[in-house]
Amino acid sequence: SGDYTSMNFRMEVQLPTMPTNIPAAAKVITMGISSSWKGTSLNSCRESTLLIFFGSCVIESMCLGWGSTWLVSCRELDPAGAAGIITFYYVGMALGRFLSGVVSRWLSPKKVIALGETITAVAVAALFIPNTAVAGIALFAIGLGNGPVFPNMTHLTPIHFGPEVSQSFIGLQMAVAYAAFMLTPVFFSIIAKT
């Protein structure tokens, strides 16, 4: 458990440069799958990874940007009360990320992600219960479940795609995350108007 001598890992630091990142990004598209993903095509692995990143960031953006508005509009809370309840989301997010580090000793990153997504799905369903206390607990649970997804997905990148292209693929993941944060408020404001 505490013996790292048999793990044979090394750490290299490289400054990103444009010419080396472009071929590395091409390798992400064409390289073979690592042993942990045998039987899975690289395209489906890459696409599912990016979809999970996008979905996690959409959930985070929705709670951060629209959570208070939803509590005021749908749960008829005053703005100060809604702001107080949305704080539960932030606490859940911080606690989820902290606990994912603690339980990583016993659970693999994939299991932590699956557990987090399960908690998030149940919590999102609980938001449909018309009760303010349940909404506060559900927002906390959404933060708790969604919090570990982003860091654990980033941690898995070198394992899934290899260390030689992980830097470029993490850059692609960050681009997808930023796109989700940029597009979510616009998209859901259009939905809210209809």
Side-chain angles (χ1 to χ4, degrees):
S1 60
D3 180 25
Y4 296 104
T5 57
S6 64
M7 292 181 73
N8 294 329
F9 64 71
R10 64 176 191 208
M11 184 173 176
E12 294 180 8
V13 177
Q14 292 179 333
L15 295 175
T17 59
M18 193 61 157
T20 60
N21 283 344
I22 292 171
K27 286 181 189 175
V28 169
I29 296 169
T30 59
M31 64 178 262
I33 294 297
S34 69
S35 60
S36 64
W37 282 78
K38 284 187 178 170
T40 305
S41 76
L42 179 60
N43 286 338
S44 67
C45 178
R46 185 185 66 234
E47 291 164 1
S48 64
T49 298
L50 295 177
L51 186 62
I52 291 169
F53 257 93
F54 189 82
S56 173
C57 291
V58 165
I59 291 169
E60 187 172 342
S61 178
M62 286 295 299
C63 288
L64 298 176
W66 289 93
S68 295
T69 303
W70 177 77
L71 288 167
V72 170
S73 300
C74 296
R75 295 293 182 252
E76 299 176 355
L77 290 173
D78 62 293
I85 288 178
I86 203 67
T87 305
F88 290 124
Y89 173 77
Y90 291 101
V91 171
M93 171 86 59
L95 186 62
R97 289 191 174 162
F98 172 76
L99 289 176
S100 82
V102 173
V103 302
S104 67
R105 196 172 180 151
W106 301 283
L107 297 175
S108 70
K110 289 179 185 179
K111 288 182 181 176
V112 172
I113 292 167
L115 179 63
E117 289 176 340
T118 302
I119 291 170
T120 302
V122 171
V124 167
L127 284 176
F128 291 100
I129 299 171
N131 182 307
T132 304
V134 172
I137 293 167
L139 286 166
F140 171 81
I142 290 170
L144 184 71
N146 197 39
V149 174
F150 196 97
N152 280 286
M153 289 298 293
T154 304
H155 172 74
L156 285 172
T157 300
I159 296 167
H160 288 170
F161 302 102
E164 65 277 355
V165 295
S166 63
Q167 184 179 15
S168 295
F169 197 76
I170 288 173
L172 182 60
Q173 291 169 336
M174 294 304 112
V176 167
Y178 290 137
F181 275 106
M182 180 183 70
L183 296 174
T184 300
V186 175
F187 181 71
F188 281 97
S189 67
I190 293 168
I191 290 175
K193 287 181 181 180
T194 58

